[in-house]
Amino acid sequence: MELAKAFDPKTAEGHYKEWEENGFFAPEINEDASAPTYSIVIPPPNVTGSLHMGHALQHTLMDVLTRWKRMQGFRTLWLPGTDHAGISVQRKVVEQLRKDEGLSPIDIGREEFISRAWKWKEQYGNTITEQMRREGASVDWSRERFTMDADLSLAVRSVFVALYEEGNIYRGLRIVNWCPKDKTVLSDLEVKEETRKDGTLTYLKYPVKGTDRTVTVATTRPETMLGDTAVAVNPTDERYADLIGKTIMLPLAGREIPIVADEYVDKEFGTGAVKITPAHDPNDYQIGERHGLEKLLVMDEAGKMNAAAGPDFEGLDRFEAREKVVARFEELGLLEKVEAYEITLPICERCKTIVEPILSEQWFVKMDEMRDIALDVMRSEGVPHFFPQVPHEKVYTNWLENLKDWTISRQLWWGHQIPAWYDDEGNVYVALTEAEAREKAGGKQLRQDQDVLDTWFSSGLWAFSTFGWTGKGGVLNTPDLDSFLPTDVLVTGRDIIFLWVSRMVMLTKKFTGKIPFSDVVVTGTVLGKDGKPMSKSRNNGVDPIAMFDKFGVDATRIYLASIATGADIKWNDLLIETYRNFANKIWNATRFCLLNSANALVKVFEPAEVKALPAADRWILSRLSRTAAAVNRALDTYQYHEAVSLLYHFFWDDFCDWYIELKKDEINSGDAAASSFILSVLEQALRLLHPFMPYLTEELWQKLPGIGSSLHHPAYRSAKLSIMLADFPKGSDTFIDDAAENEVSAVIEVIKKVRNIRAEMNISPSVRFVVHVAGSEKLRDVLHANEGQILKLARAEKVILSDSLVVPKASARAVLSGGGEVAIPLEGLIDFEKERIRLQGQIDKLDTELERISGQLSNANFVERAPAEKVQELRDRKDEIERQAATLAANIEVLN
RNA sequence: GCCGUCUUAGCUCAGUGGUAGAGCACUCGCUUCACACGCGAUAGGUCAGAAGUUCAAAUCUUCUAGACGGCACCA
């Protein structure tokens, strides 16, 4: 069989369809009933989304783990699905409605709007799941879930009802983060900050009633003065002591408001007097509560001033109102000054609108018990165990310790409508269904709460609702729940540790008694070339699909795994090229192995047979075994980059650069035994590479002669042939062979020394020369056994072995590390001056090292206190350096 | 303000007490019959700076500078 000259990723990527159709991704493919399970639930991507680099990275890491464990014979499940993404979908549908029909959601009504949203989801919501197929994600599509599936919705209502009934969910009037554009409340975590240097601090003078004095207050939001219901000063502030208890005639509003004393006020900041707007500021709200102040709301849900702001301002946008308030104060002579002020504004994470703190009645989850659950799990079980542990564990626990209640209602239509109903008197009935609620209400006419729940509320149940749990009165246990919860690991980004990870821990533990997962792998952020997070506004994004097209899925995947250290990483196309080249290298190495393989077959290595093989064969098998063991160890601790590096260097350096080259003549001569052996090594290497490069390895593996289900893990013996189901090499000690490794190292060293001389002496590769090697009998035996390889790889004419060198003066020389010398007679080719410089350069290098080592060894403290082993190591090294340097010096003498 | 991370070769990054590493880029050489997405050979770092602990520090401690992240505050 002959392969094309270069690897074509497109062809290989066709394997996905076979895998999916053959059911390889489902845990049921595993026939071993007693096999241990391994499960991962995907962080459900937003249905409105399309694949970005962060997904590609995380999916790669999850797929590597899933494929690795599947090959190890675990009953493996990676469960896929998507998240209904309340605000995002709502916005898309609103926009579509406006553009296509010129209608607003109100025009068509809630029911119709939701039906449009479902249609939107059906039509566009599968973008990302299709892209995941391209990625090669081995997820079990038969278990795909959506956060608004019927049973997942039932789970949401069950949890809501249960938490309400035990008092962990309550409804209350609080200052919340309000987005006037989305017209909904946001949780603290959905609000980001933006620092503006062009902010202002406006100083307003408030007349004190019954005097001709004014009190100056400073504010960044002058329009809120229309809702002021007090001015506060510090009780110990002498400047204002006589004003406490007096009142202010509030300009523009014409209301009379009190001057109160409160410890909260910082005497040093601003003027020391603070305007108090309890309905529009969280701190003012607290002060208002303490002093029994009125809470006057002066804005509506769109951020426009309402009737309470007075006829002059009603209907104005908050920013227009701001200008107008300042202008009026100026007209009245009550504007003291406006100064430039650097201000930090709260911003809606999604739409970047400035968030308005506003008094509003919302639903909250009480966090006391939830926090304790999460902290207990961390303290008693160390769960979740973060990778990397530093700094995530500390940040996570710090955050939990300072947790505030979670606002869960959202003023949207798309999502899980809150299962709470009201009667005409405003009594609330919380139940799973309207029928149950009505029953509780004694048959009264009820109206359901119009709000929906925060999307993260349903995502918080993802680890167990996806396995069929629907709650008390429904399904509390399923075979999947038994088998797959707790899941083994969660792979996710740093940005949703609080938003999602913490809530899954709390809710899963509370409702199932189990932890959702033991390990959490936190990936770094893939940054753009400019070192900033990828974003549309910065236009520094890189589309993973474009990378798949340009370099192939396999190259992109293994590249992403190679950078998965947990640290942020700057994107660089050139580095994927490394792995595109690697893929091609693997392709061509396989191509070579197959070229003359007429009678060869892949086989399993028998220790007894291996013992009788030449050193080179035992060496590559030893290297393979070490690599396999190290790859398993690396993956055990999520050291993906380490695993990639091990595989890359094994394949390229050991297998291609040395093993293939050492065996080339034998293989090319059609030696079936040699061919079988190299194919068998290659076959195992492909298996090791499979989790990282699934398509390429499948494509090549299928072409190897002699592969059969015997290579499958026993749990998959009757399945259709696929490398996906092959046994992942463990790397047993049986084939570790130090003697073979030493022998081959000696051969390699000689070849490298000769090549170095050729290159440094500018001798053309076409020139063949005699190579003399002097050394121990053992060394000579080893070199003799590999004479053909040395001739070929060093491009030598002849190798002459002896116990001491007898060569002409006109020779280039080198020393070997284990004792021994190399010399190449170069009559007419050698430039003595150049050779002297070359040798002297080597001596200089040795001298630098010798100096350092001698210094250490002459330090009595070191010799006394360092471990004897270390001291001996250095002494040996010193002897070796001295021997080499002496030999080189003698070589220079010869030239003179 | 509090907590934390990072600073290593031209670039992008590995490396948690014992001889500084990789890929790419650079330099030199090669149509060597798997691969020029290749082969061979070099060159290139006082590991941000300072002090300390230690026989020994890129690695541990403290400080400084710069970059960044989270949280809090923000009249």
Side-chain angles (χ1 to χ4, degrees):
Chain A
M1 180 178 328
E2 191 158 344
L3 268 54
K5 217 176 161 184
F7 171 51
D8 171 31
K10 285 272 159 47
T11 312
E13 286 164 23
H15 286 289
Y16 194 85
K17 214 170 160 226
E18 300 156 27
W19 295 333
E20 187 176 352
E21 282 167 0
N22 284 303
F24 292 163
F25 303 154
E28 286 76 16
I29 190 75
N30 191 312
E31 294 155 30
D32 177 4
S34 62
T37 60
Y38 186 83
S39 60
I40 299 179
V41 290
I42 198 166
N46 179 334
V47 273
T48 63
S50 56
L51 200 71
H52 59 60
M53 208 46 84
H55 293 126
L57 169 63
Q58 289 167 18
H59 294 171
T60 295
L61 304 188
M62 285 183 261
D63 200 43
V64 165
L65 294 174
T66 303
R67 287 178 183 272
W68 171 54
K69 286 292 174 180
R70 189 184 292 112
M71 289 174 79
Q72 286 185 334
F74 283 74
R75 192 176 186 77
T76 305
L77 170 64
W78 178 17
L79 185 143
T82 45
D83 182 299
H84 68 273
I87 292 182
S88 302
V89 172
Q90 177 113 2
R91 196 177 292 142
K92 298 255 182 202
V93 177
V94 167
E95 180 61 14
Q96 193 182 47
L97 203 56
R98 190 188 60 76
K99 243 168 112 181
D100 298 353
E101 303 170 57
L103 297 173
S104 78
I106 309 281
D107 296 332
I108 62 170
R110 182 170 193 136
E111 205 171 317
E112 177 60 20
F113 182 85
I114 289 171
S115 127
R116 300 283 182 106
W118 275 107
K119 273 187 201 139
W120 188 94
K121 188 254 174 190
E122 297 310 327
Q123 196 176 347
Y124 302 106
N126 54 3
T127 304
I128 207 156
T129 50
E130 283 311 311
Q131 289 173 323
M132 283 180 64
R133 287 178 162 87
R134 178 83 190 276
E135 287 181 302
S138 64
V139 294
D140 180 7
W141 293 110
S142 74
R143 283 177 169 81
E144 183 180 356
R145 297 285 186 268
F146 177 55
T147 45
M148 277 173 62
D149 285 346
D151 47 350
L152 274 72
S153 297
L154 179 54
V156 165
R157 292 198 300 279
S158 301
V159 166
F160 186 95
V161 172
L163 290 174
Y164 176 79
E165 284 175 351
E166 65 188 32
N168 274 323
I169 281 184
Y170 65 92
R171 188 161 184 260
L173 199 59
R174 297 293 140 87
I175 297 280
V176 295
N177 306 299
W178 186 270
C179 176
K181 177 149 185 256
D182 293 326
K183 299 192 180 67
T184 181
V185 67
L186 303 171
S187 74
D188 293 347
L189 292 171
E190 293 161 296
V191 176
K192 297 296 159 203
E193 285 174 355
E194 191 173 301
T195 302
R196 297 259 178 99
K197 296 217 188 295
D198 61 349
T200 55
L201 192 59
T202 306
Y203 290 76
L204 303 175
K205 294 198 273 194
Y206 284 3
V208 180
K209 193 186 172 190
T211 72
D212 49 9
R213 286 180 63 184
T214 58
V215 172
T216 302
V217 295
T219 179
T220 55
R221 296 188 294 156
E223 70 282 8
T224 62
M225 61 76 49
L226 296 166
D228 283 359
T229 56
V231 167
V233 296
N234 192 289
T236 63
D237 193 334
E238 288 164 12
R239 293 172 296 177
Y240 301 112
D242 61 322
L243 294 181
I244 295 166
K246 291 201 163 46
T247 58
I248 295 281
M249 279 310 295
L250 190 63
L252 309 187
R255 282 182 284 111
E256 187 174 340
I257 60 175
I259 296 172
V260 301
D262 197 286
E263 299 280 357
Y264 165 79
V265 180
D266 179 356
K267 284 190 281 188
E268 309 301 321
F269 193 93
T271 61
V274 188
K275 59 189 279 303
I276 302 298
T277 324
H280 289 277
D281 183 281
N283 294 311
D284 292 5
Y285 178 84
Q286 299 294 333
I287 293 173
E289 289 290 278
R290 285 199 284 275
H291 299 274
L293 302 175
E294 190 191 345
K295 303 175 188 77
L296 186 64
L297 199 63
V298 292
M299 268 178 228
D300 67 11
E301 57 176 28
K304 290 195 160 91
M305 308 313 287
N306 64 16
D312 283 357
F313 295 94
E314 184 177 0
L316 287 183
D317 176 79
R318 51 188 167 152
F319 301 110
E320 293 167 3
R322 177 172 303 175
E323 286 177 24
K324 193 162 177 183
V325 164
V326 175
R328 284 292 174 79
F329 266 78
E330 187 153 31
E331 286 166 28
L332 295 170
L334 293 173
L335 182 66
E336 185 172 306
K337 61 178 172 180
V338 176
E339 64 184 27
Y341 186 68
E342 184 177 306
I343 187 168
T344 308
L345 293 169
I347 301 288
C348 172
E349 185 184 35
R350 286 191 182 74
C351 72
K352 313 298 176 204
T353 302
I354 297 173
V355 167
E356 195 67 31
I358 211 166
L359 188 67
S360 176
E361 183 144 57
Q362 301 292 341
W363 290 91
F364 297 88
V365 178
K366 215 167 159 179
M367 277 294 142
D368 310 77
E369 184 189 341
M370 297 295 158
R371 175 190 53 227
D372 291 346
I373 289 172
L375 284 173
D376 279 354
V377 169
M378 176 55 86
R379 282 168 191 154
S380 61
E381 303 175 53
V383 168
H385 186 191
F386 288 100
F387 293 85
Q389 188 171 13
V390 178
H392 299 108
E393 184 176 310
K394 189 164 182 182
V395 173
Y396 173 80
T397 46
N398 282 354
W399 179 78
L400 284 175
E401 282 158 3
N402 300 300
L403 199 47
K404 287 195 217 153
D405 288 358
W406 172 19
T407 323
I408 48 169
S409 38
R410 292 291 181 279
Q411 287 64 45
L412 304 171
W413 283 351
W414 174 245
H416 300 104
Q417 193 170 358
I418 293 177
W421 284 263
Y422 306 95
D423 62 20
D424 289 342
E425 288 90 57
N427 296 311
V428 63
Y429 305 93
V430 171
L432 285 179
T433 62
E434 180 161 6
E436 281 179 36
R438 195 176 302 128
E439 201 177 314
K440 286 186 179 175
K444 275 189 272 190
Q445 199 58 34
L446 298 176
R447 184 169 180 278
Q448 187 170 5
D449 194 298
Q450 292 299 292
D451 292 348
V452 299
L453 289 164
D454 181 3
T455 307
W456 293 107
F457 189 89
S458 52
S459 317
L461 316 182
W462 187 251
F464 57 104
S465 63
T466 48
F467 293 128
W469 186 97
T470 61
K472 209 171 144 194
V475 180
L476 287 179
N477 208 357
T478 64
D480 272 9
L481 200 67
D482 257 348
S483 304
F484 300 119
L485 187 75
T487 64
D488 290 87
V489 58
L490 184 78
V491 178
T492 191
R494 183 170 48 227
D495 50 336
I496 55 176
I497 290 177
F498 305 148
L499 220 44
W500 191 49
V501 176
S502 65
R503 288 161 181 172
M504 278 206 286
V505 172
M506 297 166 184
L507 292 165
T508 309
K509 184 76 179 175
K510 177 156 178 77
F511 286 93
T512 67
K514 294 186 188 179
I515 53 169
F517 32 71
S518 40
D519 295 350
V520 174
V521 172
V522 182
T523 61
T525 308
V526 185
L527 306 171
K529 288 189 179 84
D530 56 0
K532 304 242 165 67
M534 291 185 183
S535 75
K536 274 187 193 144
S537 55
R538 282 199 197 87
N539 197 28
N540 62 350
V542 178
D543 177 10
I545 303 295
M547 295 300 111
F548 294 164
D549 291 341
K550 190 170 172 192
F551 301 105
V553 172
D554 289 310
T556 310
R557 283 174 59 121
I558 193 165
Y559 164 66
L560 288 169
S562 80
I563 59 169
T565 62
D568 290 353
I569 183 91
K570 265 187 244 183
W571 184 261
N572 190 344
D573 274 13
L574 291 174
L575 299 177
I576 304 193
E577 224 173 291
T578 300
Y579 293 99
R580 193 262 319 256
N581 297 349
F582 184 47
N584 193 54
K585 188 76 177 176
I586 295 167
W587 177 268
N588 275 291
T590 307
R591 180 166 179 258
F592 169 77
C593 292
L594 289 172
L595 277 176
N596 293 291
S597 62
N599 300 308
L601 291 174
V602 166
K603 56 180 185 180
V604 174
F605 300 113
E606 294 299 334
E609 289 175 29
V610 167
K611 255 184 199 152
L613 292 170
D617 297 336
R618 287 180 286 120
W619 168 77
I620 194 66
L621 206 46
S622 184
R623 294 289 311 133
L624 174 71
S625 302
R626 284 189 200 279
T627 303
V631 165
N632 279 292
R633 274 197 304 274
L635 288 178
D636 269 331
T637 50
Y638 310 104
Q639 303 288 305
Y640 301 93
H641 62 292
E642 175 68 11
V644 171
S645 164
L646 286 161
L647 289 167
Y648 185 94
H649 289 111
F650 169 75
F651 202 92
W652 203 307
D653 301 347
D654 294 342
F655 187 72
C656 292
D657 285 352
W658 289 106
Y659 188 66
I660 287 184
E661 296 305 330
L662 288 168
K663 303 293 283 189
K664 208 163 224 174
D665 286 344
E666 270 178 77
I667 310 259
N668 279 339
S669 73
D671 181 328
S675 218
S676 292
F677 189 86
I678 198 167
L679 282 168
S680 306
V681 173
L682 171 70
E683 191 272 337
Q684 291 211 22
L686 291 177
R687 282 193 249 160
L688 289 170
L689 284 160
H690 176 74
F692 301 91
M693 310 179 91
Y695 294 126
L696 167 70
T697 51
E698 180 75 295
E699 179 74 11
L700 293 174
W701 194 77
Q702 303 266 359
K703 294 186 195 300
L704 302 183
I707 51 158
S709 62
S710 60
L711 298 172
H712 275 180
H713 187 279
Y716 309 116
R717 286 277 151 85
S718 61
K720 197 165 170 267
L721 214 54
S722 168
I723 194 171
M724 268 190 69
L725 306 176
D727 194 9
F728 197 80
K730 290 175 199 64
S732 75
D733 291 347
T734 315
F735 299 115
I736 304 280
D737 190 333
D738 290 326
E741 293 198 30
N742 288 336
E743 287 181 31
V744 173
S745 294
V747 173
I748 288 175
E749 192 186 10
V750 168
I751 293 168
K752 281 183 162 273
K753 293 290 182 191
V754 176
R755 283 174 173 174
N756 175 261
I757 289 169
R758 183 190 295 277
E760 299 280 317
M761 293 288 110
N762 287 328
I763 296 167
S764 158
S766 59
V767 173
R768 299 264 170 174
F769 42 53
V770 177
V771 173
H772 292 258
V773 185
S776 66
E777 191 178 344
K778 196 179 162 216
L779 177 67
R780 281 179 278 147
D781 284 348
V782 168
L783 297 180
H784 182 67
N786 292 279
E787 194 180 352
Q789 283 78 4
I790 296 171
L791 290 175
K792 183 176 168 69
L793 300 182
R795 306 185 69 76
E797 184 188 344
K798 193 175 174 189
V799 177
I800 297 174
L801 302 168
S802 57
D803 56 358
S804 65
L805 285 180
V806 183
V807 291
K809 174 187 170 186
S811 297
R813 296 154 189 264
V815 282
L816 297 172
S817 63
E821 286 183 73
V822 175
I824 302 172
L826 291 171
E827 193 63 55
L829 290 171
I830 194 163
D831 174 335
F832 287 99
E833 185 51 27
K834 210 167 180 181
E835 173 70 354
R836 264 192 293 269
I837 291 169
R838 191 179 71 86
L839 294 175
Q840 190 56 49
Q842 295 183 8
I843 291 174
D844 289 348
K845 265 191 198 167
L846 291 171
D847 281 348
T848 311
E849 196 183 341
L850 188 62
E851 211 172 307
R852 200 192 59 244
I853 293 178
S854 302
Q856 252 182 297
L857 283 172
S858 62
N859 179 345
N861 271 330
F862 170 73
V863 178
E864 277 166 33
R865 307 173 89 152
E869 195 184 293
K870 290 288 168 200
V871 177
Q872 192 53 47
E873 225 169 74
L874 271 199
R875 282 187 175 139
D876 292 348
R877 179 68 192 152
K878 184 175 179 231
D879 291 348
E880 171 69 15
I881 291 170
E882 282 171 340
R883 187 189 62 72
Q884 288 189 21
T887 308
L888 288 167
N891 291 347
I892 290 179
E893 277 306 306
V894 172
L895 294 175
N896 291 334

